[in-house]
Every structure is written in structure tokens, then in C-alpha cells.
Amino acid sequence: MKRILVIATRQIGDVLLTTPAIRAARECWPGAEIHVLGFAGTLGMLAGNPDVTRLIETPARLGWRGFLALLRQLWRQYDLALVTQASDRAHLIGWIAARRRSGLLPERGGSNWWKRRLLTHAVPIAGDRGAVHVTVEKLALLDPWRSSSALPPEVVPPAPLALPPALAAQLRPGYVVVHVPSMWQYKQWPVEHYAQVVAGLLADGHQVVLTGSAGARDQECIAPLRGLGSAPALLDASGQLDFRQLRSLLGEAALYIGPDTSVSHLAAACGIPTLAVFGPTNPLRWAPWPAKPRARELFARSAASQAEGNVTVLQASAPCVPCGRAGCEDHVHSRSDCLLQITPERVLAQARELARGTAAPSSGPARPPSEIRSRA
């Protein structure tokens, strides 16, 4: 295999979780060019990845003209296509790009008959109620070419980049990163719960750094927390960092707290203690993957609290957890009663246990920006 195309047409977190498969492809064919195709704005998690030769962005909505242009660009340019999503479009792109294709295939699906015919190697997947973590599923795309006894997959974070000097100058050892926003409402732990956790951490002497994008939804979630403290005790880094800078921030943190979202996966990959608050999503498939996994099967489907490596997942104890649906009403704007049942006191207690011994007085000396940059 001299040219390989990895098709990762989904969201940012899904793109990050393709990195074990990309690394496995690199190990199988050290001299190959490995290109990754994904939606515009989703490939930042692969910035500076040493295993990737080229990133190819495509609009989420192609239209016929866009599809024909992509066909002309990709037609039989690759020896192998790794189709890491089960969508019709991803499989069609794989067929266009390469004569040999390895792809994910839903256990049930009306289009399975033609997808299976297009694949050299098919990996059946059970969906969000299944029992196999998505990183392991994607890694299985390489099974015909690699040993089944290989080490468990490791997620590869983007290459670090220096933080903005103004932010770096205010950081103190032992800071805690808190990521409040979720992309979808049904994954959103209540903002007022986050506020109680942040207030408790500040009272303990921890510096807290808030993260998020510059988007309207993220800013709406973060706004109520800004009044809980002032710099340098509470810093708002939202909208200031790209994924490489965020990787640098997380890499120096004493603890990360966040929801079921892409940044939680990134924090786990950075190797820091990661506390993830989960609602209807199945941890067996979607828990943040530890930086140094012990095995391919790590998490239980349901547990009030479970820890693997540097990752701790909290869930409610309701019998329906996890349902694997988009909340109680099964749509992206749905409520999730299981998230409401996870109290801020419980999250704060777990955070205190994980961050024990790392607090630094808010009035302590700032770390020099040069130290942050050099360690990044």
C-alpha cells in the first residue's frame, strides 16, 4: 500500500478517535502516504499528526456539482480506503477513491447489500447500544494486515502549540480545566451544576480555566460562570485557542472536568486526570479513551462511577441508563433526566479526590510564559 485514504466524515471527536487506526496503518506501511478526508472544520484534531501526510476537507453538503468534483479529484488515486463511518456517502467516496476498501457496516441497514459488495473487508458494528468501543471498531479495519495480538489502541492528540502569552502568563501550577458546553442539548449537564462545581474548586484554592469555542451556544453556556471569580483565579480561555493550543493547555492541567464531548476525548488522550459526566450515551462505546489503556475492553455499560487509567466516568443510577438514544425524547434538543440526577455535590467530591494535593494559592507566583511554551 503506497497511498491510503482514511474517510472520517463525522464530528470532531470522531475524527480524533480515528487516530489509532491511522497509527496502525502507518505501522503496517511505514513508507505510505496517508491522507484523511473529512468535513470542513472537523480535521483540526489531526493538526501536526506525524502519521498523516495530507488533510482533505470537503463540505458537509456537497450537492451534485461538489460530488462530481470530488469524484474527479479522487478517482482511483489510492491503494486502500479505510471507511471509518457507516454512512452511504463515506462508502461511496471509498469506492471512488480506491480499488480496495475496508469499512464499517451496520448490523442492520437497508443499504448494507451494496456496501458489503464494495468492501474487501467489512467490520460489523452494533451502533450506540453495542458493546465495542469506537476506537476498537475503527482499529479493526486493519485486521487483515496486522496482528490481532497487537497492543491496545492509543489515541494520538494533535501536536502542541504555544499558548497565547497573555494566558500563559496567568497560569499557575495545579490549575483545573472545566469545559461546560456540549454540542447537543441532550448531552448538556446543567450549567448551574457546573457553576457550583467551579465555585467549590475556587474555594479550595484551585485556579480554574474555562474552555469552549467562540460559537454562540458555547458562549451562552460559559457566560453564567464568568462572574464566579476574577483573574487569575478564574480564567476564560474560550474562543482563544485552536486544538493544538488546547492540547498544550490540557497537557499541563491537574484535572479536566467536562461532558460527553470531543474536548473530553482530547483531555483523556493528553494523559491528565479526566472526569467525564455521562448521560444517555453508552460508555462502552464512547467513554474517553485512556492515554495508556490496559486492554481493548475497559468500561462497563452502567456504573455510578468507574475509572480506567486517567479517565473517570460518572453516570446516574436510573435503570434506563444508558439508553443510547438522543435523550428522553430522542432528539438533539431533548432533555436527559439522567443528567439532571447527577448532582454537583457528587461531581465536586469526585473532582476533589482526583485533584487532591494539586491546589495552589490563587495569589501565588504566575508561571513564566516561556515555561509553558517550552514544555508544550
mmCIF file of all heavy atoms in Angstrom, residues 113-158:
data_model
loop_
_atom_site.group_PDB
_atom_site.id
_atom_site.type_symbol
_atom_site.label_atom_id
_atom_site.label_comp_id
_atom_site.label_asym_id
_atom_site.label_seq_id
_atom_site.Cartn_x
_atom_site.Cartn_y
_atom_site.Cartn_z
ATOM 1 N N TRP A 113 -26.611 -4.157 1.556
ATOM 2 C CA TRP A 113 -26.389 -5.127 0.475
ATOM 3 C C TRP A 113 -25.357 -4.616 -0.517
ATOM 4 O O TRP A 113 -24.480 -5.353 -0.962
ATOM 5 C CB TRP A 113 -27.707 -5.450 -0.227
ATOM 6 C CG TRP A 113 -28.346 -4.266 -0.925
ATOM 7 C CD1 TRP A 113 -29.190 -3.352 -0.393
ATOM 8 C CD2 TRP A 113 -28.145 -3.894 -2.287
ATOM 9 N NE1 TRP A 113 -29.554 -2.407 -1.321
ATOM 10 C CE2 TRP A 113 -28.936 -2.723 -2.507
ATOM 11 C CE3 TRP A 113 -27.419 -4.423 -3.354
ATOM 12 C CZ2 TRP A 113 -28.983 -2.079 -3.737
ATOM 13 C CZ3 TRP A 113 -27.466 -3.788 -4.577
ATOM 14 C CH2 TRP A 113 -28.251 -2.636 -4.766
ATOM 15 N N TRP A 114 -25.436 -3.317 -0.862
ATOM 16 C CA TRP A 114 -24.452 -2.813 -1.828
ATOM 17 C C TRP A 114 -23.153 -2.399 -1.156
ATOM 18 O O TRP A 114 -22.077 -2.503 -1.766
ATOM 19 C CB TRP A 114 -25.021 -1.670 -2.665
ATOM 20 C CG TRP A 114 -25.424 -0.405 -1.948
ATOM 21 C CD1 TRP A 114 -26.680 -0.044 -1.542
ATOM 22 C CD2 TRP A 114 -24.558 0.682 -1.571
ATOM 23 N NE1 TRP A 114 -26.658 1.183 -0.936
ATOM 24 C CE2 TRP A 114 -25.368 1.675 -0.953
ATOM 25 C CE3 TRP A 114 -23.197 0.935 -1.714
ATOM 26 C CZ2 TRP A 114 -24.869 2.866 -0.458
ATOM 27 C CZ3 TRP A 114 -22.674 2.130 -1.221
ATOM 28 C CH2 TRP A 114 -23.508 3.078 -0.602
ATOM 29 N N LYS A 115 -23.218 -1.966 0.104
ATOM 30 C CA LYS A 115 -21.984 -1.621 0.805
ATOM 31 C C LYS A 115 -21.096 -2.848 0.976
ATOM 32 O O LYS A 115 -19.880 -2.786 0.767
ATOM 33 C CB LYS A 115 -22.309 -1.014 2.174
ATOM 34 C CG LYS A 115 -22.930 0.368 2.129
ATOM 35 C CD LYS A 115 -23.272 0.846 3.530
ATOM 36 C CE LYS A 115 -23.963 2.199 3.496
ATOM 37 N NZ LYS A 115 -24.408 2.623 4.838
ATOM 38 N N ARG A 116 -21.707 -3.960 1.359
ATOM 39 C CA ARG A 116 -20.924 -5.177 1.558
ATOM 40 C C ARG A 116 -20.232 -5.598 0.260
ATOM 41 O O ARG A 116 -19.097 -6.081 0.275
ATOM 42 C CB ARG A 116 -21.821 -6.299 2.089
ATOM 43 C CG ARG A 116 -21.055 -7.533 2.540
ATOM 44 C CD ARG A 116 -21.993 -8.574 3.107
ATOM 45 N NE ARG A 116 -22.626 -8.123 4.335
ATOM 46 C CZ ARG A 116 -22.070 -8.204 5.528
ATOM 47 N NH1 ARG A 116 -20.851 -8.693 5.654
ATOM 48 N NH2 ARG A 116 -22.720 -7.798 6.599
ATOM 49 N N ARG A 117 -20.916 -5.426 -0.862
ATOM 50 C CA ARG A 117 -20.317 -5.799 -2.146
ATOM 51 C C ARG A 117 -19.118 -4.925 -2.497
ATOM 52 O O ARG A 117 -18.224 -5.361 -3.237
ATOM 53 C CB ARG A 117 -21.367 -5.709 -3.252
ATOM 54 C CG ARG A 117 -22.449 -6.768 -3.153
ATOM 55 C CD ARG A 117 -23.353 -6.725 -4.367
ATOM 56 N NE ARG A 117 -24.369 -7.761 -4.308
ATOM 57 C CZ ARG A 117 -25.201 -8.043 -5.296
ATOM 58 N NH1 ARG A 117 -25.149 -7.328 -6.424
ATOM 59 N NH2 ARG A 117 -26.094 -8.994 -5.183
ATOM 60 N N LEU A 118 -19.088 -3.698 -1.997
ATOM 61 C CA LEU A 118 -17.996 -2.786 -2.308
ATOM 62 C C LEU A 118 -16.759 -3.005 -1.434
ATOM 63 O O LEU A 118 -15.691 -2.501 -1.758
ATOM 64 C CB LEU A 118 -18.454 -1.330 -2.136
ATOM 65 C CG LEU A 118 -19.572 -0.824 -3.048
ATOM 66 C CD1 LEU A 118 -19.826 0.652 -2.771
ATOM 67 C CD2 LEU A 118 -19.240 -1.048 -4.509
ATOM 68 N N LEU A 119 -16.912 -3.764 -0.339
ATOM 69 C CA LEU A 119 -15.850 -3.864 0.641
ATOM 70 C C LEU A 119 -14.982 -5.098 0.449
ATOM 71 O O LEU A 119 -15.500 -6.202 0.232
ATOM 72 C CB LEU A 119 -16.432 -3.872 2.057
ATOM 73 C CG LEU A 119 -17.117 -2.581 2.520
ATOM 74 C CD1 LEU A 119 -17.763 -2.781 3.875
ATOM 75 C CD2 LEU A 119 -16.120 -1.425 2.559
ATOM 76 N N THR A 120 -13.688 -4.913 0.588
ATOM 77 C CA THR A 120 -12.762 -6.029 0.675
ATOM 78 C C THR A 120 -12.823 -6.646 2.064
ATOM 79 O O THR A 120 -12.726 -7.864 2.234
ATOM 80 C CB THR A 120 -11.321 -5.543 0.397
ATOM 81 O OG1 THR A 120 -11.290 -4.856 -0.853
ATOM 82 C CG2 THR A 120 -10.350 -6.705 0.367
ATOM 83 N N HIS A 121 -12.979 -5.789 3.072
ATOM 84 C CA HIS A 121 -13.075 -6.230 4.466
ATOM 85 C C HIS A 121 -14.154 -5.410 5.155
ATOM 86 O O HIS A 121 -14.130 -4.180 5.114
ATOM 87 C CB HIS A 121 -11.730 -6.053 5.178
ATOM 88 C CG HIS A 121 -11.775 -6.326 6.649
ATOM 89 N ND1 HIS A 121 -12.103 -7.560 7.175
ATOM 90 C CD2 HIS A 121 -11.533 -5.515 7.725
ATOM 91 C CE1 HIS A 121 -12.050 -7.507 8.483
ATOM 92 N NE2 HIS A 121 -11.713 -6.279 8.847
ATOM 93 N N ALA A 122 -15.123 -6.081 5.766
ATOM 94 C CA ALA A 122 -16.225 -5.405 6.453
ATOM 95 C C ALA A 122 -16.115 -5.631 7.957
ATOM 96 O O ALA A 122 -15.832 -6.748 8.416
ATOM 97 C CB ALA A 122 -17.566 -5.921 5.950
ATOM 98 N N VAL A 123 -16.345 -4.565 8.726
ATOM 99 C CA VAL A 123 -16.352 -4.635 10.191
ATOM 100 C C VAL A 123 -17.773 -4.351 10.664
ATOM 101 O O VAL A 123 -18.218 -3.194 10.634
ATOM 102 C CB VAL A 123 -15.372 -3.624 10.806
ATOM 103 C CG1 VAL A 123 -15.444 -3.669 12.335
ATOM 104 C CG2 VAL A 123 -13.954 -3.896 10.333
ATOM 105 N N PRO A 124 -18.543 -5.366 11.081
ATOM 106 C CA PRO A 124 -19.910 -5.133 11.556
ATOM 107 C C PRO A 124 -19.904 -4.326 12.850
ATOM 108 O O PRO A 124 -19.073 -4.549 13.733
ATOM 109 C CB PRO A 124 -20.452 -6.553 11.803
ATOM 110 C CG PRO A 124 -19.524 -7.464 11.054
ATOM 111 C CD PRO A 124 -18.189 -6.789 11.076
ATOM 112 N N ILE A 125 -20.823 -3.380 12.951
ATOM 113 C CA ILE A 125 -20.935 -2.569 14.164
ATOM 114 C C ILE A 125 -22.376 -2.588 14.651
ATOM 115 O O ILE A 125 -23.314 -2.674 13.861
ATOM 116 C CB ILE A 125 -20.460 -1.122 13.927
ATOM 117 C CG1 ILE A 125 -21.307 -0.434 12.845
ATOM 118 C CG2 ILE A 125 -18.993 -1.097 13.553
ATOM 119 C CD1 ILE A 125 -20.981 1.045 12.683
ATOM 120 N N ALA A 126 -22.547 -2.492 15.978
ATOM 121 C CA ALA A 126 -23.873 -2.616 16.583
ATOM 122 C C ALA A 126 -24.515 -1.274 16.894
ATOM 123 O O ALA A 126 -25.630 -1.228 17.394
ATOM 124 C CB ALA A 126 -23.775 -3.452 17.852
ATOM 125 N N GLY A 127 -23.817 -0.173 16.639
ATOM 126 C CA GLY A 127 -24.396 1.129 16.932
ATOM 127 C C GLY A 127 -24.222 1.506 18.391
ATOM 128 O O GLY A 127 -23.491 0.854 19.153
ATOM 129 N N ASP A 128 -24.916 2.557 18.814
ATOM 130 C CA ASP A 128 -24.688 3.129 20.129
ATOM 131 C C ASP A 128 -25.140 2.244 21.279
ATOM 132 O O ASP A 128 -24.839 2.538 22.432
ATOM 133 C CB ASP A 128 -25.366 4.496 20.232
ATOM 134 C CG ASP A 128 -24.594 5.563 19.470
ATOM 135 O OD1 ASP A 128 -23.454 5.282 19.053
ATOM 136 O OD2 ASP A 128 -25.133 6.667 19.290
ATOM 137 N N ARG A 129 -25.848 1.158 21.001
ATOM 138 C CA ARG A 129 -26.205 0.221 22.065
ATOM 139 C C ARG A 129 -25.294 -1.002 22.062
ATOM 140 O O ARG A 129 -25.542 -1.970 22.765
ATOM 141 C CB ARG A 129 -27.664 -0.194 21.915
ATOM 142 C CG ARG A 129 -28.613 0.976 22.167
ATOM 143 C CD ARG A 129 -30.042 0.658 21.852
ATOM 144 N NE ARG A 129 -30.876 1.855 22.019
ATOM 145 C CZ ARG A 129 -32.043 2.024 21.432
ATOM 146 N NH1 ARG A 129 -32.518 1.116 20.619
ATOM 147 N NH2 ARG A 129 -32.731 3.120 21.640
ATOM 148 N N GLY A 130 -24.244 -0.951 21.261
ATOM 149 C CA GLY A 130 -23.314 -2.062 21.166
ATOM 150 C C GLY A 130 -22.365 -2.119 22.347
ATOM 151 O O GLY A 130 -22.453 -1.340 23.301
ATOM 152 N N ALA A 131 -21.397 -3.051 22.274
ATOM 153 C CA ALA A 131 -20.508 -3.301 23.398
ATOM 154 C C ALA A 131 -19.038 -3.119 23.043
ATOM 155 O O ALA A 131 -18.176 -3.446 23.846
ATOM 156 C CB ALA A 131 -20.735 -4.722 23.932
ATOM 157 N N VAL A 132 -18.742 -2.581 21.859
ATOM 158 C CA VAL A 132 -17.359 -2.400 21.421
ATOM 159 C C VAL A 132 -17.073 -0.907 21.301
ATOM 160 O O VAL A 132 -17.837 -0.175 20.668
ATOM 161 C CB VAL A 132 -17.103 -3.102 20.069
ATOM 162 C CG1 VAL A 132 -15.656 -2.901 19.624
ATOM 163 C CG2 VAL A 132 -17.421 -4.586 20.172
ATOM 164 N N HIS A 133 -15.974 -0.458 21.903
ATOM 165 C CA HIS A 133 -15.633 0.956 21.842
ATOM 166 C C HIS A 133 -15.316 1.359 20.409
ATOM 167 O O HIS A 133 -14.746 0.583 19.638
ATOM 168 C CB HIS A 133 -14.429 1.255 22.747
ATOM 169 C CG HIS A 133 -14.292 2.692 23.096
ATOM 170 N ND1 HIS A 133 -13.713 3.617 22.244
ATOM 171 C CD2 HIS A 133 -14.673 3.398 24.203
ATOM 172 C CE1 HIS A 133 -13.734 4.808 22.822
ATOM 173 N NE2 HIS A 133 -14.310 4.712 24.010
ATOM 174 N N VAL A 134 -15.661 2.583 20.047
ATOM 175 C CA VAL A 134 -15.495 3.022 18.667
ATOM 176 C C VAL A 134 -14.035 3.009 18.227
ATOM 177 O O VAL A 134 -13.731 2.769 17.060
ATOM 178 C CB VAL A 134 -16.108 4.421 18.447
ATOM 179 C CG1 VAL A 134 -17.620 4.359 18.550
ATOM 180 C CG2 VAL A 134 -15.550 5.434 19.425
ATOM 181 N N THR A 135 -13.093 3.249 19.146
ATOM 182 C CA THR A 135 -11.686 3.195 18.757
ATOM 183 C C THR A 135 -11.288 1.785 18.347
ATOM 184 O O THR A 135 -10.508 1.600 17.405
ATOM 185 C CB THR A 135 -10.772 3.666 19.908
ATOM 186 O OG1 THR A 135 -11.004 2.863 21.053
ATOM 187 C CG2 THR A 135 -11.022 5.112 20.248
ATOM 188 N N VAL A 136 -11.829 0.802 19.035
ATOM 189 C CA VAL A 136 -11.519 -0.595 18.714
ATOM 190 C C VAL A 136 -12.172 -0.991 17.397
ATOM 191 O O VAL A 136 -11.584 -1.714 16.585
ATOM 192 C CB VAL A 136 -11.968 -1.518 19.862
ATOM 193 C CG1 VAL A 136 -11.716 -2.988 19.529
ATOM 194 C CG2 VAL A 136 -11.248 -1.141 21.161
ATOM 195 N N GLU A 137 -13.403 -0.520 17.170
ATOM 196 C CA GLU A 137 -14.068 -0.786 15.894
ATOM 197 C C GLU A 137 -13.252 -0.258 14.718
ATOM 198 O O GLU A 137 -13.041 -0.966 13.722
ATOM 199 C CB GLU A 137 -15.451 -0.126 15.870
ATOM 200 C CG GLU A 137 -16.518 -0.877 16.596
ATOM 201 C CD GLU A 137 -17.860 -0.190 16.495
ATOM 202 O OE1 GLU A 137 -17.918 0.969 16.055
ATOM 203 O OE2 GLU A 137 -18.862 -0.821 16.863
ATOM 204 N N LYS A 138 -12.815 0.987 14.838
ATOM 205 C CA LYS A 138 -12.068 1.587 13.734
ATOM 206 C C LYS A 138 -10.729 0.877 13.530
ATOM 207 O O LYS A 138 -10.268 0.700 12.392
ATOM 208 C CB LYS A 138 -11.858 3.079 13.999
ATOM 209 C CG LYS A 138 -13.164 3.889 14.066
ATOM 210 C CD LYS A 138 -12.880 5.335 14.385
ATOM 211 C CE LYS A 138 -14.132 6.097 14.792
ATOM 212 N NZ LYS A 138 -15.196 6.072 13.799
ATOM 213 N N LEU A 139 -10.109 0.464 14.610
ATOM 214 C CA LEU A 139 -8.840 -0.250 14.510
ATOM 215 C C LEU A 139 -9.023 -1.588 13.792
ATOM 216 O O LEU A 139 -8.122 -2.061 13.089
ATOM 217 C CB LEU A 139 -8.261 -0.472 15.900
ATOM 218 C CG LEU A 139 -6.812 -0.950 15.975
ATOM 219 C CD1 LEU A 139 -5.868 0.108 15.418
ATOM 220 C CD2 LEU A 139 -6.443 -1.287 17.412
ATOM 221 N N ALA A 140 -10.197 -2.189 13.947
ATOM 222 C CA ALA A 140 -10.469 -3.482 13.311
ATOM 223 C C ALA A 140 -10.470 -3.389 11.788
ATOM 224 O O ALA A 140 -10.411 -4.420 11.105
ATOM 225 C CB ALA A 140 -11.803 -4.031 13.804
ATOM 226 N N LEU A 141 -10.537 -2.188 11.246
ATOM 227 C CA LEU A 141 -10.447 -2.030 9.792
ATOM 228 C C LEU A 141 -9.111 -2.532 9.256
ATOM 229 O O LEU A 141 -8.994 -2.875 8.078
ATOM 230 C CB LEU A 141 -10.634 -0.557 9.416
ATOM 231 C CG LEU A 141 -11.993 0.060 9.715
ATOM 232 C CD1 LEU A 141 -11.948 1.569 9.508
ATOM 233 C CD2 LEU A 141 -13.071 -0.561 8.846
ATOM 234 N N LEU A 142 -8.100 -2.585 10.112
ATOM 235 C CA LEU A 142 -6.763 -3.022 9.708
ATOM 236 C C LEU A 142 -6.505 -4.491 10.006
ATOM 237 O O LEU A 142 -5.386 -4.982 9.782
ATOM 238 C CB LEU A 142 -5.699 -2.174 10.405
ATOM 239 C CG LEU A 142 -5.332 -0.807 9.820
ATOM 240 C CD1 LEU A 142 -4.775 -0.947 8.424
ATOM 241 C CD2 LEU A 142 -6.476 0.169 9.870
ATOM 242 N N ASP A 143 -7.505 -5.230 10.493
ATOM 243 C CA ASP A 143 -7.300 -6.620 10.905
ATOM 244 C C ASP A 143 -6.670 -7.520 9.828
ATOM 245 O O ASP A 143 -5.847 -8.376 10.158
ATOM 246 C CB ASP A 143 -8.613 -7.233 11.388
ATOM 247 C CG ASP A 143 -8.931 -6.838 12.828
ATOM 248 O OD1 ASP A 143 -8.089 -6.173 13.465
ATOM 249 O OD2 ASP A 143 -10.024 -7.183 13.316
ATOM 250 N N PRO A 144 -7.031 -7.368 8.552
ATOM 251 C CA PRO A 144 -6.403 -8.262 7.557
ATOM 252 C C PRO A 144 -4.906 -8.044 7.398
ATOM 253 O O PRO A 144 -4.213 -8.903 6.834
ATOM 254 C CB PRO A 144 -7.142 -7.901 6.253
ATOM 255 C CG PRO A 144 -8.430 -7.303 6.682
ATOM 256 C CD PRO A 144 -8.107 -6.564 7.953
ATOM 257 N N TRP A 145 -4.378 -6.921 7.900
ATOM 258 C CA TRP A 145 -2.981 -6.576 7.647
ATOM 259 C C TRP A 145 -2.138 -6.458 8.917
ATOM 260 O O TRP A 145 -0.963 -6.150 8.844
ATOM 261 C CB TRP A 145 -2.913 -5.258 6.876
ATOM 262 C CG TRP A 145 -3.658 -5.338 5.578
ATOM 263 C CD1 TRP A 145 -3.229 -5.900 4.409
ATOM 264 C CD2 TRP A 145 -4.972 -4.847 5.321
ATOM 265 N NE1 TRP A 145 -4.193 -5.786 3.440
ATOM 266 C CE2 TRP A 145 -5.277 -5.144 3.969
ATOM 267 C CE3 TRP A 145 -5.936 -4.188 6.093
ATOM 268 C CZ2 TRP A 145 -6.493 -4.802 3.377
ATOM 269 C CZ3 TRP A 145 -7.143 -3.856 5.508
ATOM 270 C CH2 TRP A 145 -7.415 -4.162 4.166
ATOM 271 N N ARG A 146 -2.751 -6.644 10.094
ATOM 272 C CA ARG A 146 -1.985 -6.508 11.333
ATOM 273 C C ARG A 146 -2.324 -7.648 12.279
ATOM 274 O O ARG A 146 -3.366 -8.302 12.143
ATOM 275 C CB ARG A 146 -2.248 -5.151 12.008
ATOM 276 C CG ARG A 146 -3.633 -5.003 12.578
ATOM 277 C CD ARG A 146 -3.954 -3.578 12.980
ATOM 278 N NE ARG A 146 -3.095 -3.087 14.039
ATOM 279 C CZ ARG A 146 -3.393 -3.174 15.341
ATOM 280 N NH1 ARG A 146 -4.505 -3.777 15.738
ATOM 281 N NH2 ARG A 146 -2.587 -2.669 16.249
ATOM 282 N N SER A 147 -1.458 -7.874 13.255
ATOM 283 C CA SER A 147 -1.639 -8.961 14.205
ATOM 284 C C SER A 147 -2.767 -8.637 15.173
ATOM 285 O O SER A 147 -2.874 -7.516 15.679
ATOM 286 C CB SER A 147 -0.343 -9.196 14.978
ATOM 287 O OG SER A 147 -0.549 -10.065 16.062
ATOM 288 N N SER A 148 -3.601 -9.621 15.453
ATOM 289 C CA SER A 148 -4.694 -9.425 16.405
ATOM 290 C C SER A 148 -4.181 -9.309 17.842
ATOM 291 O O SER A 148 -4.921 -8.907 18.734
ATOM 292 C CB SER A 148 -5.692 -10.584 16.309
ATOM 293 O OG SER A 148 -5.036 -11.816 16.584
ATOM 294 N N SER A 149 -2.918 -9.662 18.077
ATOM 295 C CA SER A 149 -2.344 -9.582 19.413
ATOM 296 C C SER A 149 -1.641 -8.257 19.667
ATOM 297 O O SER A 149 -0.948 -8.097 20.672
ATOM 298 C CB SER A 149 -1.339 -10.726 19.619
ATOM 299 O OG SER A 149 -0.272 -10.621 18.693
ATOM 300 N N ALA A 150 -1.786 -7.313 18.744
ATOM 301 C CA ALA A 150 -1.131 -6.018 18.904
ATOM 302 C C ALA A 150 -1.634 -5.318 20.166
ATOM 303 O O ALA A 150 -2.697 -5.621 20.702
ATOM 304 C CB ALA A 150 -1.391 -5.149 17.680
ATOM 305 N N LEU A 151 -0.863 -4.344 20.635
ATOM 306 C CA LEU A 151 -1.210 -3.617 21.853
ATOM 307 C C LEU A 151 -2.526 -2.869 21.693
ATOM 308 O O LEU A 151 -2.935 -2.544 20.574
ATOM 309 C CB LEU A 151 -0.083 -2.645 22.203
ATOM 310 C CG LEU A 151 1.261 -3.273 22.585
ATOM 311 C CD1 LEU A 151 2.305 -2.184 22.748
ATOM 312 C CD2 LEU A 151 1.134 -4.087 23.856
ATOM 313 N N PRO A 152 -3.235 -2.563 22.806
ATOM 314 C CA PRO A 152 -4.481 -1.790 22.716
ATOM 315 C C PRO A 152 -4.231 -0.442 22.039
ATOM 316 O O PRO A 152 -3.133 0.110 22.113
ATOM 317 C CB PRO A 152 -4.884 -1.606 24.177
ATOM 318 C CG PRO A 152 -4.210 -2.708 24.916
ATOM 319 C CD PRO A 152 -2.928 -2.958 24.193
ATOM 320 N N PRO A 153 -5.254 0.100 21.400
ATOM 321 C CA PRO A 153 -5.075 1.361 20.661
ATOM 322 C C PRO A 153 -4.826 2.535 21.587
ATOM 323 O O PRO A 153 -5.350 2.600 22.703
ATOM 324 C CB PRO A 153 -6.411 1.519 19.926
ATOM 325 C CG PRO A 153 -7.388 0.742 20.748
ATOM 326 C CD PRO A 153 -6.621 -0.418 21.290
ATOM 327 N N GLU A 154 -4.012 3.485 21.118
ATOM 328 C CA GLU A 154 -3.789 4.733 21.836
ATOM 329 C C GLU A 154 -4.194 5.896 20.940
ATOM 330 O O GLU A 154 -3.794 5.957 19.780
ATOM 331 C CB GLU A 154 -2.326 4.872 22.251
ATOM 332 C CG GLU A 154 -1.896 3.863 23.307
ATOM 333 C CD GLU A 154 -0.500 4.127 23.834
ATOM 334 O OE1 GLU A 154 0.034 5.226 23.568
ATOM 335 O OE2 GLU A 154 0.056 3.240 24.523
ATOM 336 N N VAL A 155 -5.002 6.796 21.480
ATOM 337 C CA VAL A 155 -5.437 7.976 20.740
ATOM 338 C C VAL A 155 -4.282 8.970 20.679
ATOM 339 O O VAL A 155 -3.604 9.221 21.675
ATOM 340 C CB VAL A 155 -6.680 8.600 21.402
ATOM 341 C CG1 VAL A 155 -7.072 9.898 20.714
ATOM 342 C CG2 VAL A 155 -7.843 7.604 21.385
ATOM 343 N N VAL A 156 -4.055 9.537 19.496
ATOM 344 C CA VAL A 156 -2.940 10.461 19.283
ATOM 345 C C VAL A 156 -3.475 11.892 19.254
ATOM 346 O O VAL A 156 -4.207 12.262 18.328
ATOM 347 C CB VAL A 156 -2.205 10.151 17.962
ATOM 348 C CG1 VAL A 156 -1.022 11.106 17.768
ATOM 349 C CG2 VAL A 156 -1.739 8.694 17.934
ATOM 350 N N PRO A 157 -3.151 12.725 20.251
ATOM 351 C CA PRO A 157 -3.640 14.108 20.243
ATOM 352 C C PRO A 157 -2.886 14.933 19.210
ATOM 353 O O PRO A 157 -1.818 14.535 18.728
ATOM 354 C CB PRO A 157 -3.329 14.593 21.664
ATOM 355 C CG PRO A 157 -2.165 13.767 22.093
ATOM 356 C CD PRO A 157 -2.324 12.424 21.429
ATOM 357 N N PRO A 158 -3.414 16.097 18.841
ATOM 358 C CA PRO A 158 -2.684 16.969 17.898
ATOM 359 C C PRO A 158 -1.379 17.457 18.504
ATOM 360 O O PRO A 158 -1.194 17.444 19.725
ATOM 361 C CB PRO A 158 -3.665 18.126 17.662
ATOM 362 C CG PRO A 158 -4.568 18.113 18.840
ATOM 363 C CD PRO A 158 -4.690 16.683 19.265
#
